[in-house]
Amino acid sequence: MMASSYNAKDEDGHITVTGPGGGTLRSKKPENTAFKQQRLPAWQPILTAGTVLPAFFIIGLIFIPIGIGLYVTSNNIKEFEVDYTGVDMSSPCFNCSQNFSWNSTTPCTCTIPFFLEQPYESNVFMYYGLSNFYQNHRRYVKSRDDSQLNGDMTSLKEPSKECEPYAYHDNKPIAPCGAIANSMFNDTLELFYNDPNGTKVQIPLTNIGIAWWTDKHVKFKNPGAGEANQNLTAVFQGTTKPLNWRRPVYELDAAANNDGFINEDFIVWMRTAALPTFRKLYRIIKSPSNGMMPTMPRGNYTLEVVYITTMSKNLGQNLFNQLNPDYPVRSFEGRKRMILSTISWMGGKNPFLGIAYITVGSVCFFLGVVLLIIHHKCGNRNNSADISN
Amino acid sequence: MKAKRNRYGGCYRRGLEAAQVCVGEENWVDSRTIYIGQKEPPPGTEAFIQQRFPDNRIVSSKYTFWNFIPKNMFEQFRRVANFYFLIIFLVQLIIDTPTSPITSGLPLFFVITVTAIKQGYEDWLRHKADNSVNQCPVHVVQHGKVVRKQSRKLRVGDVVFVKENETFPCDLILLSTSRDEGICYVTTASLDGESSHKTYFAVQDTKAYNTEQEVDSIHATIECEQPQPDLYKFVGRINIYMDNEPVARPLGSENLLLRGATLKNTEYIYAVAIYTGMETKMALNYQSKTQKRSAVEKSMNAYLVVYLFILISKAFVNTVLKYVWQADPNRDEPWYNDRTESERQRHIVIRAFTDFLAFMVLFNYIIPVSMYVTVEMQKFLGSYFIMWDDEMFDEELGERAVVNTSDLNEELGQVEYVFTDKTGTLTENNMEFIECCVDGHVYVPHVILNGQVMPGAGMDMIDTSPGPEAREHEELFFRALCLCHTVQVKEEETVDGIKHGIHQGKLGFTYLRLKDSHMEILNREDEIERFELLEVLTFDSVRRRMSVIVRSSSGQLYLFCKGADSSIFPRVISGKVEQEGLRTLCVAYRLLSPEQYQEVCHLLSGAKLALQDRDRRLAEAYDLIEKDLILLGATAVEDRLQEKAADTIESLHKAGMKVWVLTGDKMETAAATCYASKLFHRNTQILELTTKRTEEQSLHDVLFDLSRTVLRQHGGMTRDTFSGLSGDCTDYGLIIDGATLSAVMRPPQEDSNSGNYKEIFLEICRNCSAVLCCRMAPLQKAQIVKLIKASKEHPITLAIGDGANDVSMILEAHVGVGIMGKEGRQAVRNSDYAIPKFKHLKKMLLVHGHYYYIRISELVQYFFYKNVCFIFPQFLYQFFCGFSQQPLYDTAYLTLYNISFTSLPILLYSLIEQHINMDILKKDPSLYRDIAKNSLLRWPIFIYWTILGVYDAIVMFFGAYFLFDNTTFTSNGQMFGNWTFGTLVFTVLVFTVTFKLALDTHYWTWINHFVIWGSLIFFVVFSLLWGGIIWPFLNYQRMYYVFMQMLSSGPAWLSIILLITAGLLPDVLKKVIWRALWPTTTERIQMYAGFGYVPTLLDNADKLYKGHLSEFTPLASLQSKAGSQRRGSGGQRNAPNPRRSEPFSKKTMFTRWQRTPDYCTFTPLLRFADGARNSRQGYAQGGQTSV
């Protein structure tokens, strides 16, 4: 009965002898490295009124000029907007927006005159704007087949399930499939300059360069794009056009480099907007090459909207109940606009950024002053105070 | 070896529980009969029934190859978080949801796979270990020959042959050894961590059989209990058939060699297997402990519930709004956006429910799966800093801190109550001989230097010319000291320990060895005296004494008994001894007549052979034998405080912790230690709640008296604070003893006037800064901890101890800390953390605990914050997309946000953040109060973070919204789509949350720079890559060039900068203003440290602490006063006794200042001694008398 059975101690004074066995114990000693001892050299900044003060002033001093610059730039941008939805009886587009019996062979055209108070210099960008149009609805956003648009032949013949219910029509695959493509904006906008001498000059509109370069050249490809003698009509053989379209996809534009999936109007439409009120780039009015004349001088202009008859087939009721001459937005209380805008380095007219910069800058500056006072008062108090006792 | 030891964790708990259950009950469950060598017993003795036992295969692995996947999956999905994400994943698979199942499937898959691989690898290692153990060769005696066998084929009853340095393959009964005495030495280091050699004994009747032939001829059966997990208990009986006449011998734990232990210093042994395989005591100890949960984890779970509620209400609100908004069919299904036929035909209720689930899925990232992973990684990796800590390494022991549970790291920063053991925890548990007293005569060593008797200095006889009778007693006393112990003197191992040093040599008597049951001692005349050792009545903590019965060469039979004064005095019939406040060990003897001896032998053998209730019967037998003693004398020993124990306790006090000392020791000794360790100060008013007082007054009155005192003083204190006189009279110390405590804890009686004492007691305790509980039983320690734990504030408790008697409280407390002391490893094995010395507690709590708490609270808050920032914009977006569950961000961003873009910086922060230098944390313990009561995870702070998250989300979303509002921001007039919108928000988001963390980081090492800037760069590079090519495996290319296009626009850059600034502004402002107007102590210190203003005063204090100032017992000097008075009244000596104070001051001089005496720091030492003296007087006036 030996020492091994001693567990308790207290008053006895028994000692269990422990024999340290030198060798193995050395290895237990922790390594004395800066990391393991948590003593890595470190910069130890503290945010105090004193250290933050300069930062606040600096932010204020940088932000306010930037904001002013942005604001001025934004104000210098010229923008003109025409609503041509045709809700009012008085509106010239009222007739075209009504769905009455219509000879579909002749397009309905409405003419809206407007007056530009200021001349628009350099390139002028022409947008169409829609509101209350939910391009960002989940069902809508995913209703497309990117492989089909990338020129994949199998996807052309067998569109993705995501395109449902816009994938097949009459057992033929729809090209391009999906709700986005199906609802492509199809009003034709034309601009005329009413010369002071009375002549009506059509302003040339460029439809090249309105889509992202990468979209046009990489993301969107016509099927069989690599082949030498590409015949779009042949390639799209066996597919059908989207229900709402008047023409098949290979007839979107006469120019070969803007036809089919790589049509820029189409590409622009396919980039779904972030918010229900949006605008999309429609055309560019290039500045005249001599540069002396403004692109659009001050004066009277006419916007002509050419409606191509659209058959809006509401699948829910499964019948053609509407024969809309125009791109229909009134059913969901939407609006259609035409916007002319010049562009600066910071894009279109948007006073928000400038105002925000000025606001944040001034707040910072003001807070800097407040902190300066606080620092001045409390700093002294702290210095005189003892540390903990 | 460490891992192995962990696996035995919990052993003691089971044993303890069993003990709790079985107190006074039948402990004998069932017995087994083992036939040694598988041989049938001789016919006619008893029926041969071969029982079936498991083979010796050890299975520590959890899985097999086949059941790994199902079993592991089941175990992993039993965790709530994993299950939640599985449900989300399944919902995504089943219904049409906005995000692809990959977004939640990938992280979940990642987490599950990593865990499975880790567990699989661990299990593979276990399999390997099992195999190597199961296949390792063992030697078995069969038919008179030693045969090699695989370990797993070993059967119960096999006779095993084990050589030196081999490990025992199963639990064995020792039959014979290569040593003549029939003993062998064993180390159980891998079992319980004790590296000392222990002695085991062969069965007396078989110890002569030490060749294989002889062993093979043994005919015997063993009856023993069925396997039990307690490593230190074993009861059995061996029946040996010699000449067909069975001889029964008792078997105890001294005969049982445990699997896992190693044979040492013995050439070989023969032993018989009794428990094999999973029935060995080691295997039975595999069970793991119940998990403790930290307070942080609890608040984390509370936050989760809040977020779950937010998630559900968000989904619900959106679903309702969706159907309200869709009431107009032109909104529900405009011409350009038709449903499919199958969708249209679905019932509206199903549609609504599906929508609800889809919203849930869309917002589910608010509860991030990665938080669990990060928290777990933080805890696991973070615990290494404790193990790596150089300052917590003890050179002397060669041990460093051990972390057994990393789940509680942050709890170390939340401790409010520290329950500490005294002996071995506060003190060295190294008994230093102070003096001895024989027959009323006091002997002191002349000079004691650092615990060792100066060479050449003999005993100084104070009392001159003792009479011849006294001299005889004196000799007997020293003989008794030499004989009455259980120390083995061996060739290799010198028995050290001061006491023996004194026993040996200095007093003229030296114990030589135990040889052939004879103890040999060398007496003063250098002659060898031989005593035949007849019986040993072993020590146990209940009796607190031990005895030996020896026969001297002259044939006289002596019983020498040695033990605590309290256990010896009641059994003494004559003799006297001086008593002082020191720990005393009394020695008594009894002369036995041969008849008496016969009776004793009869009693003992009867008890020892009993299979049932052996312990109780032995105790009864011992009780009958150890009586009518004649007191010879006493030795007084002093247990020195551990190095820096007082400093540690002081720091803990300053840190706002209440320190309770729970000890089994007597009150005087304990109180002395408390004064020495500065638990009680000189201005501490001592309240007493002891048996002595409750004898005079009823418990009821005493309690009410005390509570009145405390409460009155409490009121007085507040008044004093106002008048600026606070300080001196606010301190209370309570002393309570075990008996009174159990009276207090007794459930309220039926009669009205007893009332509920617990509440009053708690009220008193709450107002005391220090409490001393003495005379505590181990279970009472746990009871106290439980009482405090359950009190209405629910404070976080920490228990620290070194011995088996502390295990109960270590397991009970929120955090259990074990000290690697001299008493084995039970405490260490059952603890959550183990440290070599008490002083290491300071760094553990004040530095590591503080850091962990700061780190994990930031981790938790930040995780919720960044996910609010992440998901709230998506919620807002629903209002602009017709509640269609359109996700704002791309799938890749949704998936990777928590996994890779924002995970590493916070993980790193939570590993290495140091808001204050660790030296300052150590110097100024009061900083610990800043984080007390879970202060960084309280609801207001949580709400602040959430609001900050919502604000940032609003800034980001609407900032982008107004930027996108009906305009372009490229210089070529082209428009951006919804994915650019999301990407812009996401970019701002990633930068904002990362910068927010950067602002919170106070400790910027190169790793921080690397990780923070690295993860931002990673985000940018990833985005460039993700949008850079057409990914062939994706069926959508929505992100193609989105990021690049965004970056090519000037306003996007400007708005990113603006939104980040606006997002961070309020937080910076709040920080700065709070710091300036209402700074916490921490912040004030940070400020000073930041500007290099650390006051020199603190530096000096630090030097003082480091200046080798170790603690000492002031009581030694005080006792001399009290003692001398008493002595005076005793008529022995009237003169003031100079001997105690003189060696004392010398002692201080020599022992504490041996290096380079630094006299300027010596002054406070003396002052302290004075102070302590004053306090002692106050203490005595308080009605305190020694028992």
Side-chain angles (χ1 to χ4, degrees), chain A residues 1-2 4 6-14 16-17 19 25-26 28-30 32 35-49 52 56 63 70 125 127 133-134 136-142 146 164-166 179 183 209-212 214 218-219 244 271-276 278-279 281 312 315 327-328 331-332 337 343-350 352-353 356-357 360 364 367 371 374 378 381-383 385 387-388, chain B residues 96-98 195-196 198 201 325 330 332 335-340 385 388-391 393 395 398-400 421 423 486 488 499 538-539 541 544 546 564 583 585 664-666 775 802 804-806 823 848 855 877 880-882 884-886 914 917-919 924 959 961-963 966-968 970-978 981 1002-1005 1007 1036-1037 1040-1041 1045 1051 1054-1055 1058 1061 1065 1069 1072 1075-1077 1085-1088 1090 1095:
Chain A
M1 301 242 176
M2 290 293 151
S4 63
Y6 292 177
N7 310 332
K9 39 162 192 277
D10 284 340
E11 306 189 341
D12 54 286
H14 282 274
T16 319
V17 180
L25 301 174
R26 284 300 102 194
K28 276 197 179 177
K29 183 168 170 62
N32 190 9
F35 175 71
K36 289 188 175 181
Q37 300 309 320
Q38 306 193 55
R39 290 191 186 276
L40 279 178
W43 172 51
Q44 298 179 41
I46 312 157
L47 291 182
T48 59
V52 167
F56 271 65
F63 273 29
L70 284 172
F125 294 80
Y127 297 90
F133 191 99
Y134 283 83
N136 59 4
H137 195 281
R138 182 162 69 93
R139 209 178 328 126
Y140 188 84
V141 169
K142 66 176 187 173
D146 277 342
E164 292 288 348
Y166 302 99
S183 57
I210 55 174
W212 293 12
T214 48
V218 185
K219 193 173 166 184
N244 283 6
R271 183 157 293 282
T272 49
L275 298 165
F278 59 88
R279 62 169 78 163
L281 187 55
S312 165
L315 295 175
Y327 189 78
S331 61
F332 48 87
R337 291 160 295 145
I343 293 286
S344 73
W345 63 271
M346 61 160 285
K349 195 179 186 76
N350 186 8
F352 166 74
L353 200 56
Y357 258 95
V360 172
C364 277
L367 289 176
L371 286 182
I374 290 175
C378 301
R381 197 183 67 192
N382 282 345
N383 285 343
I387 283 199
S388 57
Chain B
D96 168 45
T97 54
S195 58
S196 63
K198 293 172 190 161
F201 296 84
W325 187 79
N330 271 320
D332 182 24
W335 65 267
Y336 55 86
N337 194 9
D338 280 323
R339 282 201 177 84
T340 58
F385 283 119
W388 282 336
D389 195 332
D390 207 16
E391 286 173 47
F393 173 76
E395 295 281 352
E399 293 281 359
R400 58 177 173 188
D421 175 43
T423 315
T486 53
Q488 289 291 310
K499 214 171 62 190
T538 47
F539 174 83
S541 56
R544 288 180 164 148
M546 69 162 296
R583 246 175 196 241
L585 200 60
D665 211 343
K666 59 181 178 182
R775 295 281 183 211
D802 71 323
N805 56 350
D806 306 313
E823 304 197 27
H848 289 292
R855 290 167 185 173
Y877 192 54
F880 300 92
C881 71
S884 60
Q885 302 124 22
Q886 170 63 24
Q914 294 177 27
N917 255 330
M918 62 172 92
D919 300 320
D924 198 342
Y961 175 84
F962 285 116
L963 198 70
N966 211 11
T967 183
T968 174
T970 56
S971 49
N972 58 8
Q974 291 168 354
M975 295 301 296
F976 288 151
N978 64 323
F981 182 71
H1002 293 106
Y1003 194 74
W1004 283 85
T1005 63
I1007 315 177
Y1036 57 84
Q1037 307 297 340
Y1040 186 68
Y1041 256 72
Q1045 285 283 353
L1054 285 175
S1055 55
L1058 174 83
T1061 314
L1065 201 59
L1069 192 69
V1072 169
R1075 183 185 285 277
L1077 297 181
I1085 296 272
Q1086 278 178 339
M1087 209 115 81
Y1088 283 113

Side-chain angles (χ1 to χ4, degrees), chain B residues 338-520:
Chain B
D338 280 323
R339 282 201 177 84
T340 58
E341 200 56 38
S342 59
E343 268 175 58
R344 201 171 289 131
Q345 276 161 6
R346 219 172 275 155
H347 192 268
I348 180 138
V349 176
I350 295 174
R351 256 185 358 211
F353 183 67
T354 318
D355 276 325
F356 175 75
L357 287 182
F359 278 119
M360 287 279 283
V361 167
L362 187 66
F363 302 141
N364 89 81
Y365 304 92
I366 205 166
I367 298 174
V369 66
S370 57
M371 181 166 75
Y372 289 89
V373 184
T374 314
V375 165
E376 233 153 79
M377 275 166 71
Q378 190 265 347
K379 287 184 170 182
F380 174 73
L381 297 175
S383 61
Y384 276 98
F385 283 119
I386 292 181
M387 291 189 242
W388 282 336
D389 195 332
D390 207 16
E391 286 173 47
M392 280 163 46
F393 173 76
D394 192 74
E395 295 281 352
E396 204 180 309
L397 292 171
E399 293 281 359
R400 58 177 173 188
V402 172
V403 178
N404 292 331
T405 347
S406 58
D407 289 345
L408 298 171
N409 291 343
E410 69 275 4
E411 203 85 331
L412 293 173
Q414 291 295 304
V415 175
E416 289 164 76
Y417 280 84
V418 175
F419 297 95
T420 164
D421 175 43
K422 186 179 79 70
T423 315
T425 306
L426 289 178
T427 65
E428 299 262 22
N429 197 14
N430 190 0
M431 299 305 154
E432 218 174 282
F433 179 81
I434 297 296
E435 61 180 16
C436 63
C437 167
V438 182
D439 225 10
H441 304 276
V442 178
Y443 303 72
V444 270
H446 188 60
V447 180
I448 303 174
L449 212 170
N450 207 10
Q452 290 199 324
V453 179
M454 289 284 278
M459 284 303 274
D460 190 19
M461 298 287 290
I462 308 294
D463 298 292
T464 46
S465 67
E469 194 196 335
R471 188 158 185 86
E472 193 185 306
H473 265 260
E474 187 192 309
E475 292 204 343
L476 206 52
F477 171 75
F478 290 127
R479 272 192 198 107
L481 279 181
C482 282
L483 295 172
C484 191
H485 60 79
T486 53
V487 178
Q488 289 291 310
V489 180
K490 290 204 315 294
E491 302 86 77
E492 305 87 346
E493 225 178 283
T494 53
V495 177
D496 67 345
I498 286 83
K499 214 171 62 190
H500 289 281
I502 288 164
H503 293 168
Q504 301 160 12
K506 311 310 173 223
L507 303 176
F509 287 85
T510 311
Y511 172 71
L512 291 177
R513 62 186 161 270
L514 176 71
K515 193 180 174 189
D516 304 332
S517 312
H518 283 75
M519 295 171 107
E520 299 182 347

Side-chain angles (χ1 to χ4, degrees), chain A residues 11 42 65 105 119 258 296:
Chain A
E11 306 189 341
T105 50
N258 198 27
M296 293 178 78

Side-chain angles (χ1 to χ4, degrees), chain A residues 134-387:
Chain A
Y134 283 83
Q135 251 205 332
N136 59 4
H137 195 281
R138 182 162 69 93
R139 209 178 328 126
Y140 188 84
V141 169
K142 66 176 187 173
S143 186
R144 63 193 286 161
D145 186 344
D146 277 342
S147 348
Q148 191 190 46
L149 298 174
N150 197 229
D152 187 82
M153 287 305 267
T154 40
S155 300
L156 185 72
K157 304 292 182 208
E158 286 166 29
S160 153
K161 247 186 87 222
E162 304 283 352
C163 285
E164 292 288 348
Y166 302 99
Y168 290 94
H169 181 61
D170 292 341
N171 290 325
K172 275 186 184 168
I174 297 176
C177 74
I180 313 176
N182 183 58
S183 57
M184 187 178 152
F185 182 78
N186 58 6
D187 287 352
T188 311
L189 308 178
E190 282 169 357
L191 270 184
F192 295 92
Y193 175 57
N194 299 335
D195 236 348
N197 54 25
T199 52
K200 199 170 164 187
V201 186
Q202 182 162 14
I203 297 171
L205 303 174
T206 312
N207 64 353
I208 298 298
I210 55 174
W212 293 12
W213 189 92
T214 48
D215 279 3
K216 180 158 169 128
H217 293 93
V218 185
K219 193 173 166 184
F220 288 78
K221 277 198 187 90
N222 278 322
E227 289 156 36
N229 272 328
Q230 189 197 15
N231 186 347
L232 278 185
T233 321
V235 165
F236 284 104
Q237 196 67 47
T239 64
T240 182
K241 68 175 174 66
L243 284 177
N244 283 6
W245 287 22
R246 200 164 165 272
R247 292 169 299 189
V249 66
Y250 45 86
E251 286 172 18
L252 280 177
D253 197 286
N257 66 351
N258 198 27
D259 201 9
F261 290 156
I262 56 171
N263 177 270
E264 293 204 18
D265 284 325
F266 174 65
I267 294 173
V268 164
W269 181 256
M270 291 304 284
R271 183 157 293 282
T272 49
L275 298 165
T277 300
F278 59 88
R279 62 169 78 163
K280 283 182 185 287
L281 187 55
Y282 185 67
R283 293 288 182 266
I284 303 169
I285 306 160
K286 297 274 186 191
S287 64
S289 46
N290 57 17
M292 296 314 290
M293 282 280 289
T295 319
M296 293 178 78
R298 184 174 190 271
N300 281 311
Y301 291 85
T302 317
L303 169 70
E304 278 194 16
V305 186
V306 183
Y307 296 106
I308 294 160
T309 312
T310 311
M311 284 176 293
S312 165
K313 185 188 153 204
N314 192 323
L315 295 175
Q317 289 136 52
N318 205 16
L319 53 94
F320 293 97
N321 67 340
Q322 274 180 315
L323 200 61
N324 280 347
D326 70 336
Y327 189 78
V329 293
R330 296 186 59 196
S331 61
F332 48 87
E333 289 154 15
R335 288 300 179 116
K336 298 196 279 193
R337 291 160 295 145
M338 192 283 299
I339 303 113
L340 289 172
S341 169
T342 60
I343 293 286
S344 73
W345 63 271
M346 61 160 285
K349 195 179 186 76
N350 186 8
F352 166 74
L353 200 56
I355 293 170
Y357 258 95
I358 293 169
T359 315
V360 172
S362 343
V363 166
C364 277
F365 200 84
F366 170 73
L367 289 176
V369 173
V370 172
L371 286 182
L372 190 65
I373 296 165
I374 290 175
H375 180 62
H376 203 69
K377 285 196 170 172
C378 301
N380 292 340
R381 197 183 67 192
N382 282 345
N383 285 343
S384 59
D386 205 349
I387 283 199

Side-chain angles (χ1 to χ4, degrees), chain B residues 106 135 168 203 228 303 497 535 545 586 638 847 1030 1058:
Chain B
L106 196 68
Q135 286 170 3
F168 303 124
V203 179
Q228 283 181 30
Y303 296 167
E535 297 285 350
R545 59 179 182 270
C586 293
E638 187 192 21
V847 178
I1030 299 277
L1058 174 83

Side-chain angles (χ1 to χ4, degrees), chain B residues 75-364:
Chain B
E75 300 219 326
Q76 289 204 46
F77 286 117
R78 269 204 328 203
R79 305 180 64 192
V80 180
N82 285 351
F83 187 70
Y84 166 79
F85 295 108
L86 179 70
I87 293 290
I88 293 285
F89 177 65
L90 291 180
V91 166
Q92 279 179 304
L93 277 185
I94 294 163
I95 65 164
D96 168 45
T97 54
T99 56
S100 91
I102 295 170
T103 53
S104 65
L106 196 68
L108 184 67
F109 178 75
F110 177 75
V111 169
I112 296 286
T113 317
V114 167
T115 318
I117 287 173
K118 182 178 152 247
Q119 289 178 350
Y121 176 68
E122 281 171 358
D123 208 55
W124 180 67
L125 288 182
R126 279 196 288 265
H127 269 288
K128 238 172 66 169
D130 286 355
N131 280 344
S132 72
V133 166
N134 289 334
Q135 286 170 3
C136 86
V138 294
H139 300 276
V140 177
V141 177
Q142 273 177 348
H143 311 301
K145 269 178 282 183
V146 173
V147 183
R148 273 167 73 108
K149 249 189 181 182
Q150 280 193 347
S151 169
R152 66 189 158 100
K153 290 181 180 153
L154 204 64
R155 284 187 302 154
V156 170
D158 280 350
V159 177
V160 184
F161 171 75
V162 183
K163 285 185 284 190
E164 186 168 356
N165 292 330
E166 280 183 354
T167 307
F168 303 124
C170 57
D171 291 353
L172 304 162
I173 289 291
L174 184 57
L175 291 176
S176 64
T177 79
S178 60
R179 286 172 168 260
D180 295 341
E181 311 96 311
I183 56 173
C184 72
Y185 299 106
V186 162
T187 170
T188 53
S190 59
L191 273 175
D192 56 10
E194 290 178 53
S195 58
S196 63
H197 292 180
K198 293 172 190 161
T199 316
Y200 287 84
F201 296 84
V203 179
Q204 281 296 309
D205 305 74
T206 61
K207 72 176 183 187
Y209 297 77
N210 50 13
T211 67
E212 51 257 44
Q213 285 84 13
E214 284 169 355
V215 167
D216 202 40
S217 69
I218 295 174
H219 262 264
T221 58
I222 290 171
E223 289 172 74
C224 60
E225 58 187 353
Q226 290 292 5
Q228 283 181 30
D230 191 333
L231 291 177
Y232 305 99
K233 271 205 180 117
F234 173 72
V235 196
R237 176 166 58 197
I238 183 166
N239 298 308
I240 301 157
Y241 304 96
M242 287 181 197
D243 317 321
N244 288 348
E245 195 58 43
V247 187
R249 296 278 175 224
L251 296 174
S253 56
E254 73 276 8
N255 307 112
L256 180 69
L257 305 169
L258 297 175
R259 177 177 191 144
T262 311
L263 186 65
K264 292 281 179 192
N265 293 334
T266 313
E267 205 180 313
Y268 60 86
I269 58 150
Y270 290 100
V272 58
I274 57 162
Y275 303 134
T276 51
M278 296 311 287
E279 289 187 342
T280 55
K281 284 181 183 281
M282 186 183 89
L284 290 173
N285 277 301
Y286 274 153
Q287 282 88 357
S288 55
K289 280 183 282 185
T290 50
Q291 260 203 324
K292 293 179 181 175
R293 292 189 164 273
S294 73
V296 169
E297 224 173 318
K298 280 175 204 152
S299 18
M300 207 167 99
N301 288 339
Y303 296 167
L304 269 187
V305 172
V306 171
Y307 271 75
L308 198 64
F309 177 75
I310 292 176
L311 169 67
I312 290 171
S313 46
K314 263 184 181 175
F316 183 75
V317 164
N318 267 337
T319 313
V320 170
L321 286 176
K322 177 178 173 132
Y323 282 87
V324 170
W325 187 79
Q326 282 183 355
D328 178 356
N330 271 320
R331 279 187 178 153
D332 182 24
E333 217 179 340
W335 65 267
Y336 55 86
N337 194 9
D338 280 323
R339 282 201 177 84
T340 58
E341 200 56 38
S342 59
E343 268 175 58
R344 201 171 289 131
Q345 276 161 6
R346 219 172 275 155
H347 192 268
I348 180 138
V349 176
I350 295 174
R351 256 185 358 211
F353 183 67
T354 318
D355 276 325
F356 175 75
L357 287 182
F359 278 119
M360 287 279 283
V361 167
L362 187 66
F363 302 141
N364 89 81

Side-chain angles (χ1 to χ4, degrees), chain B residues 888-899:
Chain B
L888 183 59
Y889 317 113
D890 177 53
T891 308
Y893 287 157
L894 281 172
T895 314
L896 294 179
Y897 176 72
N898 274 316
I899 297 181

